[in-house]
Structure formats: structure tokens, C-alpha cells
């Protein structure tokens, strides 16, 4: 059992990131059982849920002439344009059917601002607008985090690096993560996390 100041954060284990989904991550469904088992080691379990309005600015469909997986400049920096995914209330936004959700103390939704994407569970992609998770964890006395889920190189990566910068002790448990791996994004994420002081197991 992990100490009481430690939470498990399960990132974006949603239908759209699993095979058959709009932004499927290879093998995304293969980590569900392991994540369910790992929950048993933690007193606190938090789930995150990518949660976009249908007209979200990160969707290629909202930008004339743009294809999914191209990159454009947004006011807050470069933004990968994604296929429409995780639309609020839709099947794709729902958690994978086998994921244990009853253990969650908190389900943190992110990406609801149509103008700004939010890979991280702590800040939107402007790196400034908070989601409130830091306040939640601090007021509960939680300062150690283990992260698992999807995708290693985007939402897990951004969440882990933000958490490390905020002063949390962060472990990313790689066997229970899967990556999108767009143009070397996985290697870059692993380097970035290591440089930010994230423990990779
Ligand atoms: C994610 C791309 C777009 C993720 C979310 O969960 O890693 N990736 N939205
Ligand atoms: Zn998204």
C-alpha cells in the first residue's frame, strides 16, 4: 500500500483513445486491467477525462483546409490538430467500459475551453490557466503522484512535467501507459520528463 500522501492519477482512459476510437492509441485498451489492479495500492485515485465541446479549437475540422495531425500556431503556441474526439457527453468521451471508476475520489475534466487545448491535468496549454487540480491536491495534503494512462507523450507527459514543476514527487509508470508517438514525440516526452525530475519506472 502506498502512503496516504500519495495519489494515483489515471489519465484519459476513454473510448476515443482506445482501438476503435477517434484518436486511438495502439494498445490503449491493453492497460485497463493493470490500472484497475494498481488502484488497489492507493488510498486516493483520481481520473482525468478529456472533455471537448464539439467546436473545439484543437480539432482539424474547425480550421479550413487543415488535416488531422498537422500543426498550426495558436495564440498560446504550436497546436497539433486532432481528429474530433472526446466530445462532451458522447460515447468517445466515456471511460473505457472495463475501467473501474467507482474508486475515483475525483474525476477531473479538462479541455472544455473551446479556444485552448489542455493536455495537462494542471494547466491549459497556455501553461497559465489552472484546472484547479493543484488546489485540490494541496488542500488534501497529497504531494506524491503516480501517473498512468493515455497518452504517454501528450497528456501524461504534460501532466507529469507540470506536477514536477509544481513541486510534487512524480512517478510515471510506463508499463501502464501507451503513446501516440507522432514524429518522435515519445522520445522527446521521455527526455523532457526525465529533465523535469519525473521518475520513470
Ligand atoms: C490527448 C491529444 C488530444 C491525450 C488528448 O489524452 O493524450 N492527446 N487530446
Ligand atoms: Zn483532446
Amino acid at each position: 500500500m502506498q502512503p496516504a500522501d500519495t495519489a494515483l492519477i489515471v489519465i484519459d482512459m476513454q473510448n476515443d483513445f482506445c482501438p476503435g476510437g477517434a484518436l486511438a492509441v495502439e494498445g490503449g485498451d491493453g492497460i485497463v486491467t493493470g490500472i484497475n489492479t494498481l488502484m488497489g495500492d492507493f488510498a486516493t485515485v483520481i481520473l482525468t477525462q478529456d472533455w471537448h465541446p464539439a467546436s473545439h479549437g484543437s480539432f482539424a475540422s474547425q480550421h479550413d483546409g487543415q488535416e488531422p495531425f498537422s500543426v498550426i500556431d495558436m495564440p498560446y503556441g504550436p497546436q497539433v490538430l486532432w481528429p474530433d474526439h472526446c466530445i462532451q457527453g458522447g460515447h468517445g468521451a466515456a471511460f473505457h467500459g472495463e475501467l473501474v471508476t467507482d474508486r475515483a475520489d475525483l474525476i477531473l475534466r479538462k479541455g472544455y475551453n473551446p479556444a485552448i487545448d489542455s493536455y495537462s491535468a494542471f494547466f491549459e496549454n497556455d501553461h497559465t490557466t489552472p484546472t484547479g487540480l493543484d488546489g485540490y491536491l494541496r488542500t488534501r495534503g497529497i504531494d506524491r503522484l503516480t501517473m498512468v494512462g493515455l497518452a504517454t507523450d501528450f497528456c501524461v507527459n504534460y501532466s507529469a512535467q507540470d506536477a514536477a514543476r509544481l513541486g510534487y514527487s512524480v512517478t510515471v509508470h510506463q508499463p501502464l501507459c501507451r503513446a501516440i508517438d507522432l514524429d518522435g514525440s515519445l522520445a522527446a516526452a521521455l527526455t523532457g520528463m526525465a529533465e523535469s525530475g519525473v521518475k520513470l519506472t
Side-chain angles (χ1 to χ4, degrees), residues 124-157:
E124 295 187 345
N125 282 11
D126 60 3
H127 301 291
T128 308
T129 310
T131 63
L133 182 58
D134 182 38
Y136 176 88
L137 294 170
R138 278 182 205 284
T139 50
R140 288 198 56 193
I142 292 167
D143 52 16
R144 300 158 64 85
L145 306 172
T146 294
M147 297 188 186
V148 295
L150 305 171
T152 322
D153 40 347
F154 287 93
C155 291
V156 175
N157 173 36

PDB file of all heavy atoms in Angstrom, residues 124-157:
ATOM      1  N   GLU A 124      -4.088  24.552 -18.651  1.00  0.00           N
ATOM      2  CA  GLU A 124      -4.404  24.502 -20.069  1.00  0.00           C
ATOM      3  C   GLU A 124      -3.110  24.748 -20.861  1.00  0.00           C
ATOM      4  O   GLU A 124      -2.072  25.078 -20.295  1.00  0.00           O
ATOM      5  CB  GLU A 124      -5.508  25.531 -20.381  1.00  0.00           C
ATOM      6  CG  GLU A 124      -6.799  25.139 -19.658  1.00  0.00           C
ATOM      7  CD  GLU A 124      -8.029  25.980 -20.005  1.00  0.00           C
ATOM      8  OE1 GLU A 124      -7.903  27.066 -20.594  1.00  0.00           O
ATOM      9  OE2 GLU A 124      -9.137  25.503 -19.664  1.00  0.00           O
ATOM     10  N   ASN A 125      -3.178  24.588 -22.182  1.00  0.00           N
ATOM     11  CA  ASN A 125      -1.950  24.647 -22.980  1.00  0.00           C
ATOM     12  C   ASN A 125      -1.328  26.038 -23.062  1.00  0.00           C
ATOM     13  O   ASN A 125      -0.241  26.181 -23.616  1.00  0.00           O
ATOM     14  CB  ASN A 125      -2.191  24.089 -24.389  1.00  0.00           C
ATOM     15  CG  ASN A 125      -2.225  22.563 -24.401  1.00  0.00           C
ATOM     16  OD1 ASN A 125      -2.275  21.927 -23.343  1.00  0.00           O
ATOM     17  ND2 ASN A 125      -2.203  21.978 -25.587  1.00  0.00           N
ATOM     18  N   ASP A 126      -1.993  27.060 -22.481  1.00  0.00           N
ATOM     19  CA  ASP A 126      -1.325  28.363 -22.336  1.00  0.00           C
ATOM     20  C   ASP A 126      -0.339  28.337 -21.167  1.00  0.00           C
ATOM     21  O   ASP A 126       0.359  29.307 -20.916  1.00  0.00           O
ATOM     22  CB  ASP A 126      -2.351  29.497 -22.160  1.00  0.00           C
ATOM     23  CG  ASP A 126      -3.227  29.310 -20.917  1.00  0.00           C
ATOM     24  OD1 ASP A 126      -3.016  28.342 -20.146  1.00  0.00           O
ATOM     25  OD2 ASP A 126      -4.133  30.143 -20.724  1.00  0.00           O
ATOM     26  N   HIS A 127      -0.288  27.211 -20.460  1.00  0.00           N
ATOM     27  CA  HIS A 127       0.597  26.997 -19.297  1.00  0.00           C
ATOM     28  C   HIS A 127       0.286  27.962 -18.151  1.00  0.00           C
ATOM     29  O   HIS A 127       1.105  28.166 -17.262  1.00  0.00           O
ATOM     30  CB  HIS A 127       2.083  27.105 -19.684  1.00  0.00           C
ATOM     31  CG  HIS A 127       2.490  26.109 -20.733  1.00  0.00           C
ATOM     32  ND1 HIS A 127       2.565  24.753 -20.489  1.00  0.00           N
ATOM     33  CD2 HIS A 127       2.797  26.272 -22.048  1.00  0.00           C
ATOM     34  CE1 HIS A 127       2.924  24.133 -21.603  1.00  0.00           C
ATOM     35  NE2 HIS A 127       3.059  25.029 -22.560  1.00  0.00           N
ATOM     36  N   THR A 128      -0.876  28.596 -18.169  1.00  0.00           N
ATOM     37  CA  THR A 128      -1.220  29.629 -17.188  1.00  0.00           C
ATOM     38  C   THR A 128      -2.569  29.370 -16.531  1.00  0.00           C
ATOM     39  O   THR A 128      -2.715  29.547 -15.319  1.00  0.00           O
ATOM     40  CB  THR A 128      -1.284  31.012 -17.894  1.00  0.00           C
ATOM     41  OG1 THR A 128      -0.072  31.197 -18.616  1.00  0.00           O
ATOM     42  CG2 THR A 128      -1.452  32.123 -16.878  1.00  0.00           C
ATOM     43  N   THR A 129      -3.570  28.982 -17.334  1.00  0.00           N
ATOM     44  CA  THR A 129      -4.922  28.822 -16.802  1.00  0.00           C
ATOM     45  C   THR A 129      -5.013  27.517 -16.005  1.00  0.00           C
ATOM     46  O   THR A 129      -4.856  26.435 -16.574  1.00  0.00           O
ATOM     47  CB  THR A 129      -5.955  28.797 -17.952  1.00  0.00           C
ATOM     48  OG1 THR A 129      -5.717  29.908 -18.798  1.00  0.00           O
ATOM     49  CG2 THR A 129      -7.378  28.846 -17.398  1.00  0.00           C
ATOM     50  N   PRO A 130      -5.247  27.602 -14.687  1.00  0.00           N
ATOM     51  CA  PRO A 130      -5.270  26.372 -13.889  1.00  0.00           C
ATOM     52  C   PRO A 130      -6.578  25.601 -14.038  1.00  0.00           C
ATOM     53  O   PRO A 130      -7.631  26.183 -14.293  1.00  0.00           O
ATOM     54  CB  PRO A 130      -5.097  26.874 -12.447  1.00  0.00           C
ATOM     55  CG  PRO A 130      -5.522  28.298 -12.463  1.00  0.00           C
ATOM     56  CD  PRO A 130      -5.478  28.808 -13.875  1.00  0.00           C
ATOM     57  N   THR A 131      -6.488  24.293 -13.849  1.00  0.00           N
ATOM     58  CA  THR A 131      -7.700  23.453 -13.846  1.00  0.00           C
ATOM     59  C   THR A 131      -8.288  23.325 -12.446  1.00  0.00           C
ATOM     60  O   THR A 131      -9.415  22.846 -12.287  1.00  0.00           O
ATOM     61  CB  THR A 131      -7.362  22.022 -14.311  1.00  0.00           C
ATOM     62  OG1 THR A 131      -6.443  21.457 -13.356  1.00  0.00           O
ATOM     63  CG2 THR A 131      -6.745  22.000 -15.699  1.00  0.00           C
ATOM     64  N   GLY A 132      -7.499  23.685 -11.421  1.00  0.00           N
ATOM     65  CA  GLY A 132      -7.928  23.528 -10.028  1.00  0.00           C
ATOM     66  C   GLY A 132      -7.356  22.295  -9.350  1.00  0.00           C
ATOM     67  O   GLY A 132      -7.491  22.143  -8.138  1.00  0.00           O
ATOM     68  N   LEU A 133      -6.716  21.408 -10.104  1.00  0.00           N
ATOM     69  CA  LEU A 133      -6.231  20.155  -9.507  1.00  0.00           C
ATOM     70  C   LEU A 133      -5.157  20.392  -8.446  1.00  0.00           C
ATOM     71  O   LEU A 133      -5.120  19.704  -7.427  1.00  0.00           O
ATOM     72  CB  LEU A 133      -5.710  19.212 -10.605  1.00  0.00           C
ATOM     73  CG  LEU A 133      -5.211  17.844 -10.125  1.00  0.00           C
ATOM     74  CD1 LEU A 133      -6.290  17.076  -9.372  1.00  0.00           C
ATOM     75  CD2 LEU A 133      -4.698  17.015 -11.306  1.00  0.00           C
ATOM     76  N   ASP A 134      -4.296  21.381  -8.684  1.00  0.00           N
ATOM     77  CA  ASP A 134      -3.231  21.674  -7.713  1.00  0.00           C
ATOM     78  C   ASP A 134      -3.846  22.043  -6.360  1.00  0.00           C
ATOM     79  O   ASP A 134      -3.418  21.533  -5.319  1.00  0.00           O
ATOM     80  CB  ASP A 134      -2.351  22.807  -8.256  1.00  0.00           C
ATOM     81  CG  ASP A 134      -1.184  23.136  -7.333  1.00  0.00           C
ATOM     82  OD1 ASP A 134      -0.604  22.205  -6.740  1.00  0.00           O
ATOM     83  OD2 ASP A 134      -0.862  24.332  -7.214  1.00  0.00           O
ATOM     84  N   GLY A 135      -4.867  22.901  -6.375  1.00  0.00           N
ATOM     85  CA  GLY A 135      -5.529  23.292  -5.124  1.00  0.00           C
ATOM     86  C   GLY A 135      -6.179  22.103  -4.438  1.00  0.00           C
ATOM     87  O   GLY A 135      -6.098  21.947  -3.217  1.00  0.00           O
ATOM     88  N   TYR A 136      -6.804  21.257  -5.224  1.00  0.00           N
ATOM     89  CA  TYR A 136      -7.458  20.055  -4.683  1.00  0.00           C
ATOM     90  C   TYR A 136      -6.450  19.165  -3.964  1.00  0.00           C
ATOM     91  O   TYR A 136      -6.673  18.745  -2.824  1.00  0.00           O
ATOM     92  CB  TYR A 136      -8.147  19.298  -5.826  1.00  0.00           C
ATOM     93  CG  TYR A 136      -8.763  17.986  -5.395  1.00  0.00           C
ATOM     94  CD1 TYR A 136     -10.070  17.936  -4.912  1.00  0.00           C
ATOM     95  CD2 TYR A 136      -8.049  16.797  -5.472  1.00  0.00           C
ATOM     96  CE1 TYR A 136     -10.637  16.728  -4.512  1.00  0.00           C
ATOM     97  CE2 TYR A 136      -8.608  15.599  -5.079  1.00  0.00           C
ATOM     98  CZ  TYR A 136      -9.903  15.560  -4.596  1.00  0.00           C
ATOM     99  OH  TYR A 136     -10.451  14.376  -4.195  1.00  0.00           O
ATOM    100  N   LEU A 137      -5.324  18.905  -4.639  1.00  0.00           N
ATOM    101  CA  LEU A 137      -4.324  18.008  -4.058  1.00  0.00           C
ATOM    102  C   LEU A 137      -3.695  18.632  -2.819  1.00  0.00           C
ATOM    103  O   LEU A 137      -3.537  17.969  -1.787  1.00  0.00           O
ATOM    104  CB  LEU A 137      -3.251  17.688  -5.100  1.00  0.00           C
ATOM    105  CG  LEU A 137      -3.738  16.868  -6.305  1.00  0.00           C
ATOM    106  CD1 LEU A 137      -2.664  16.829  -7.386  1.00  0.00           C
ATOM    107  CD2 LEU A 137      -4.126  15.449  -5.885  1.00  0.00           C
ATOM    108  N   ARG A 138      -3.330  19.908  -2.910  1.00  0.00           N
ATOM    109  CA  ARG A 138      -2.677  20.571  -1.770  1.00  0.00           C
ATOM    110  C   ARG A 138      -3.589  20.588  -0.553  1.00  0.00           C
ATOM    111  O   ARG A 138      -3.144  20.308   0.558  1.00  0.00           O
ATOM    112  CB  ARG A 138      -2.300  22.014  -2.130  1.00  0.00           C
ATOM    113  CG  ARG A 138      -1.009  22.082  -2.877  1.00  0.00           C
ATOM    114  CD  ARG A 138      -0.589  23.512  -3.192  1.00  0.00           C
ATOM    115  NE  ARG A 138       0.275  23.506  -4.358  1.00  0.00           N
ATOM    116  CZ  ARG A 138       1.549  23.129  -4.349  1.00  0.00           C
ATOM    117  NH1 ARG A 138       2.122  22.760  -3.216  1.00  0.00           N
ATOM    118  NH2 ARG A 138       2.255  23.116  -5.457  1.00  0.00           N
ATOM    119  N   THR A 139      -4.857  20.923  -0.759  1.00  0.00           N
ATOM    120  CA  THR A 139      -5.748  21.021   0.394  1.00  0.00           C
ATOM    121  C   THR A 139      -6.028  19.646   0.985  1.00  0.00           C
ATOM    122  O   THR A 139      -6.422  19.548   2.147  1.00  0.00           O
ATOM    123  CB  THR A 139      -7.067  21.739   0.032  1.00  0.00           C
ATOM    124  OG1 THR A 139      -7.628  21.145  -1.136  1.00  0.00           O
ATOM    125  CG2 THR A 139      -6.823  23.220  -0.231  1.00  0.00           C
ATOM    126  N   ARG A 140      -5.784  18.590   0.225  1.00  0.00           N
ATOM    127  CA  ARG A 140      -5.920  17.242   0.776  1.00  0.00           C
ATOM    128  C   ARG A 140      -4.605  16.687   1.309  1.00  0.00           C
ATOM    129  O   ARG A 140      -4.554  15.543   1.748  1.00  0.00           O
ATOM    130  CB  ARG A 140      -6.484  16.294  -0.295  1.00  0.00           C
ATOM    131  CG  ARG A 140      -7.963  16.546  -0.581  1.00  0.00           C
ATOM    132  CD  ARG A 140      -8.597  15.361  -1.280  1.00  0.00           C
ATOM    133  NE  ARG A 140      -8.423  14.131  -0.517  1.00  0.00           N
ATOM    134  CZ  ARG A 140      -8.652  12.905  -1.002  1.00  0.00           C
ATOM    135  NH1 ARG A 140      -9.076  12.750  -2.245  1.00  0.00           N
ATOM    136  NH2 ARG A 140      -8.475  11.843  -0.261  1.00  0.00           N
ATOM    137  N   GLY A 141      -3.536  17.487   1.229  1.00  0.00           N
ATOM    138  CA  GLY A 141      -2.241  17.054   1.768  1.00  0.00           C
ATOM    139  C   GLY A 141      -1.551  16.006   0.921  1.00  0.00           C
ATOM    140  O   GLY A 141      -0.733  15.235   1.423  1.00  0.00           O
ATOM    141  N   ILE A 142      -1.858  15.974  -0.359  1.00  0.00           N
ATOM    142  CA  ILE A 142      -1.243  14.992  -1.263  1.00  0.00           C
ATOM    143  C   ILE A 142      -0.082  15.657  -1.993  1.00  0.00           C
ATOM    144  O   ILE A 142      -0.263  16.710  -2.612  1.00  0.00           O
ATOM    145  CB  ILE A 142      -2.291  14.460  -2.271  1.00  0.00           C
ATOM    146  CG1 ILE A 142      -3.333  13.618  -1.514  1.00  0.00           C
ATOM    147  CG2 ILE A 142      -1.621  13.656  -3.386  1.00  0.00           C
ATOM    148  CD1 ILE A 142      -4.569  13.302  -2.305  1.00  0.00           C
ATOM    149  N   ASP A 143       1.121  15.077  -1.876  1.00  0.00           N
ATOM    150  CA  ASP A 143       2.263  15.680  -2.554  1.00  0.00           C
ATOM    151  C   ASP A 143       3.089  14.680  -3.374  1.00  0.00           C
ATOM    152  O   ASP A 143       4.139  15.020  -3.895  1.00  0.00           O
ATOM    153  CB  ASP A 143       3.158  16.438  -1.570  1.00  0.00           C
ATOM    154  CG  ASP A 143       3.567  15.595  -0.373  1.00  0.00           C
ATOM    155  OD1 ASP A 143       3.423  14.352  -0.440  1.00  0.00           O
ATOM    156  OD2 ASP A 143       4.012  16.182   0.627  1.00  0.00           O
ATOM    157  N   ARG A 144       2.579  13.463  -3.464  1.00  0.00           N
ATOM    158  CA  ARG A 144       3.265  12.453  -4.282  1.00  0.00           C
ATOM    159  C   ARG A 144       2.254  11.857  -5.251  1.00  0.00           C
ATOM    160  O   ARG A 144       1.130  11.509  -4.842  1.00  0.00           O
ATOM    161  CB  ARG A 144       3.854  11.356  -3.391  1.00  0.00           C
ATOM    162  CG  ARG A 144       4.863  11.872  -2.383  1.00  0.00           C
ATOM    163  CD  ARG A 144       4.997  10.918  -1.212  1.00  0.00           C
ATOM    164  NE  ARG A 144       5.530   9.636  -1.667  1.00  0.00           N
ATOM    165  CZ  ARG A 144       6.819   9.382  -1.805  1.00  0.00           C
ATOM    166  NH1 ARG A 144       7.724  10.283  -1.516  1.00  0.00           N
ATOM    167  NH2 ARG A 144       7.211   8.206  -2.232  1.00  0.00           N
ATOM    168  N   LEU A 145       2.656  11.735  -6.505  1.00  0.00           N
ATOM    169  CA  LEU A 145       1.720  11.299  -7.544  1.00  0.00           C
ATOM    170  C   LEU A 145       2.334  10.188  -8.373  1.00  0.00           C
ATOM    171  O   LEU A 145       3.502  10.267  -8.752  1.00  0.00           O
ATOM    172  CB  LEU A 145       1.377  12.468  -8.480  1.00  0.00           C
ATOM    173  CG  LEU A 145       0.846  13.747  -7.808  1.00  0.00           C
ATOM    174  CD1 LEU A 145       0.733  14.867  -8.848  1.00  0.00           C
ATOM    175  CD2 LEU A 145      -0.496  13.491  -7.152  1.00  0.00           C
ATOM    176  N   THR A 146       1.524   9.171  -8.670  1.00  0.00           N
ATOM    177  CA  THR A 146       1.881   8.186  -9.686  1.00  0.00           C
ATOM    178  C   THR A 146       0.895   8.355 -10.831  1.00  0.00           C
ATOM    179  O   THR A 146      -0.316   8.462 -10.599  1.00  0.00           O
ATOM    180  CB  THR A 146       1.812   6.757  -9.124  1.00  0.00           C
ATOM    181  OG1 THR A 146       2.825   6.616  -8.125  1.00  0.00           O
ATOM    182  CG2 THR A 146       2.038   5.714 -10.213  1.00  0.00           C
ATOM    183  N   MET A 147       1.420   8.424 -12.054  1.00  0.00           N
ATOM    184  CA  MET A 147       0.559   8.630 -13.223  1.00  0.00           C
ATOM    185  C   MET A 147       0.657   7.449 -14.185  1.00  0.00           C
ATOM    186  O   MET A 147       1.748   6.926 -14.439  1.00  0.00           O
ATOM    187  CB  MET A 147       0.959   9.905 -13.962  1.00  0.00           C
ATOM    188  CG  MET A 147       0.777  11.153 -13.115  1.00  0.00           C
ATOM    189  SD  MET A 147       1.030  12.638 -14.073  1.00  0.00           S
ATOM    190  CE  MET A 147       0.926  13.854 -12.751  1.00  0.00           C
ATOM    191  N   VAL A 148      -0.505   7.098 -14.717  1.00  0.00           N
ATOM    192  CA  VAL A 148      -0.615   6.059 -15.745  1.00  0.00           C
ATOM    193  C   VAL A 148      -1.681   6.514 -16.735  1.00  0.00           C
ATOM    194  O   VAL A 148      -2.447   7.426 -16.443  1.00  0.00           O
ATOM    195  CB  VAL A 148      -1.038   4.695 -15.136  1.00  0.00           C
ATOM    196  CG1 VAL A 148       0.033   4.147 -14.198  1.00  0.00           C
ATOM    197  CG2 VAL A 148      -2.374   4.809 -14.411  1.00  0.00           C
ATOM    198  N   GLY A 149      -1.744   5.880 -17.912  1.00  0.00           N
ATOM    199  CA  GLY A 149      -2.835   6.169 -18.841  1.00  0.00           C
ATOM    200  C   GLY A 149      -2.365   6.593 -20.222  1.00  0.00           C
ATOM    201  O   GLY A 149      -1.300   6.194 -20.692  1.00  0.00           O
ATOM    202  N   LEU A 150      -3.188   7.435 -20.853  1.00  0.00           N
ATOM    203  CA  LEU A 150      -3.001   7.810 -22.265  1.00  0.00           C
ATOM    204  C   LEU A 150      -2.989   9.335 -22.415  1.00  0.00           C
ATOM    205  O   LEU A 150      -3.745  10.005 -21.714  1.00  0.00           O
ATOM    206  CB  LEU A 150      -4.164   7.232 -23.084  1.00  0.00           C
ATOM    207  CG  LEU A 150      -4.367   5.706 -22.948  1.00  0.00           C
ATOM    208  CD1 LEU A 150      -5.671   5.280 -23.622  1.00  0.00           C
ATOM    209  CD2 LEU A 150      -3.183   4.947 -23.531  1.00  0.00           C
ATOM    210  N   ALA A 151      -2.234   9.816 -23.273  1.00  0.00           N
ATOM    211  CA  ALA A 151      -1.151   9.140 -23.973  1.00  0.00           C
ATOM    212  C   ALA A 151       0.177   9.573 -23.349  1.00  0.00           C
ATOM    213  O   ALA A 151       0.317  10.728 -22.967  1.00  0.00           O
ATOM    214  CB  ALA A 151      -1.176   9.515 -25.460  1.00  0.00           C
ATOM    215  N   THR A 152       1.122   8.646 -23.285  1.00  0.00           N
ATOM    216  CA  THR A 152       2.416   8.915 -22.645  1.00  0.00           C
ATOM    217  C   THR A 152       3.016  10.242 -23.083  1.00  0.00           C
ATOM    218  O   THR A 152       3.550  10.994 -22.280  1.00  0.00           O
ATOM    219  CB  THR A 152       3.441   7.821 -23.027  1.00  0.00           C
ATOM    220  OG1 THR A 152       2.794   6.563 -23.073  1.00  0.00           O
ATOM    221  CG2 THR A 152       4.603   7.804 -22.076  1.00  0.00           C
ATOM    222  N   ASP A 153       2.959  10.507 -24.410  1.00  0.00           N
ATOM    223  CA  ASP A 153       3.692  11.642 -24.969  1.00  0.00           C
ATOM    224  C   ASP A 153       2.882  12.934 -24.993  1.00  0.00           C
ATOM    225  O   ASP A 153       3.439  13.995 -25.297  1.00  0.00           O
ATOM    226  CB  ASP A 153       4.210  11.314 -26.375  1.00  0.00           C
ATOM    227  CG  ASP A 153       3.228  10.522 -27.212  1.00  0.00           C
ATOM    228  OD1 ASP A 153       2.225   9.996 -26.679  1.00  0.00           O
ATOM    229  OD2 ASP A 153       3.468  10.416 -28.432  1.00  0.00           O
ATOM    230  N   PHE A 154       1.603  12.882 -24.671  1.00  0.00           N
ATOM    231  CA  PHE A 154       0.816  14.118 -24.635  1.00  0.00           C
ATOM    232  C   PHE A 154       0.268  14.355 -23.228  1.00  0.00           C
ATOM    233  O   PHE A 154       0.904  15.021 -22.421  1.00  0.00           O
ATOM    234  CB  PHE A 154      -0.267  14.110 -25.735  1.00  0.00           C
ATOM    235  CG  PHE A 154       0.353  14.310 -27.091  1.00  0.00           C
ATOM    236  CD1 PHE A 154       0.726  13.220 -27.882  1.00  0.00           C
ATOM    237  CD2 PHE A 154       0.638  15.587 -27.559  1.00  0.00           C
ATOM    238  CE1 PHE A 154       1.357  13.406 -29.114  1.00  0.00           C
ATOM    239  CE2 PHE A 154       1.272  15.788 -28.788  1.00  0.00           C
ATOM    240  CZ  PHE A 154       1.629  14.684 -29.567  1.00  0.00           C
ATOM    241  N   CYS A 155      -0.875  13.805 -22.909  1.00  0.00           N
ATOM    242  CA  CYS A 155      -1.494  14.195 -21.634  1.00  0.00           C
ATOM    243  C   CYS A 155      -0.730  13.692 -20.412  1.00  0.00           C
ATOM    244  O   CYS A 155      -0.639  14.398 -19.409  1.00  0.00           O
ATOM    245  CB  CYS A 155      -2.958  13.786 -21.621  1.00  0.00           C
ATOM    246  SG  CYS A 155      -3.907  14.790 -22.792  1.00  0.00           S
ATOM    247  N   VAL A 156      -0.154  12.497 -20.471  1.00  0.00           N
ATOM    248  CA  VAL A 156       0.649  12.022 -19.336  1.00  0.00           C
ATOM    249  C   VAL A 156       1.892  12.908 -19.199  1.00  0.00           C
ATOM    250  O   VAL A 156       2.218  13.399 -18.112  1.00  0.00           O
ATOM    251  CB  VAL A 156       1.041  10.541 -19.490  1.00  0.00           C
ATOM    252  CG1 VAL A 156       1.964  10.098 -18.372  1.00  0.00           C
ATOM    253  CG2 VAL A 156      -0.211   9.654 -19.546  1.00  0.00           C
ATOM    254  N   ASN A 157       2.566  13.141 -20.305  1.00  0.00           N
ATOM    255  CA  ASN A 157       3.780  13.952 -20.319  1.00  0.00           C
ATOM    256  C   ASN A 157       3.542  15.367 -19.769  1.00  0.00           C
ATOM    257  O   ASN A 157       4.242  15.825 -18.865  1.00  0.00           O
ATOM    258  CB  ASN A 157       4.276  14.006 -21.776  1.00  0.00           C
ATOM    259  CG  ASN A 157       5.437  14.948 -22.000  1.00  0.00           C
ATOM    260  OD1 ASN A 157       6.310  15.089 -21.150  1.00  0.00           O
ATOM    261  ND2 ASN A 157       5.446  15.605 -23.151  1.00  0.00           N
TER     262      ASN A 157
END
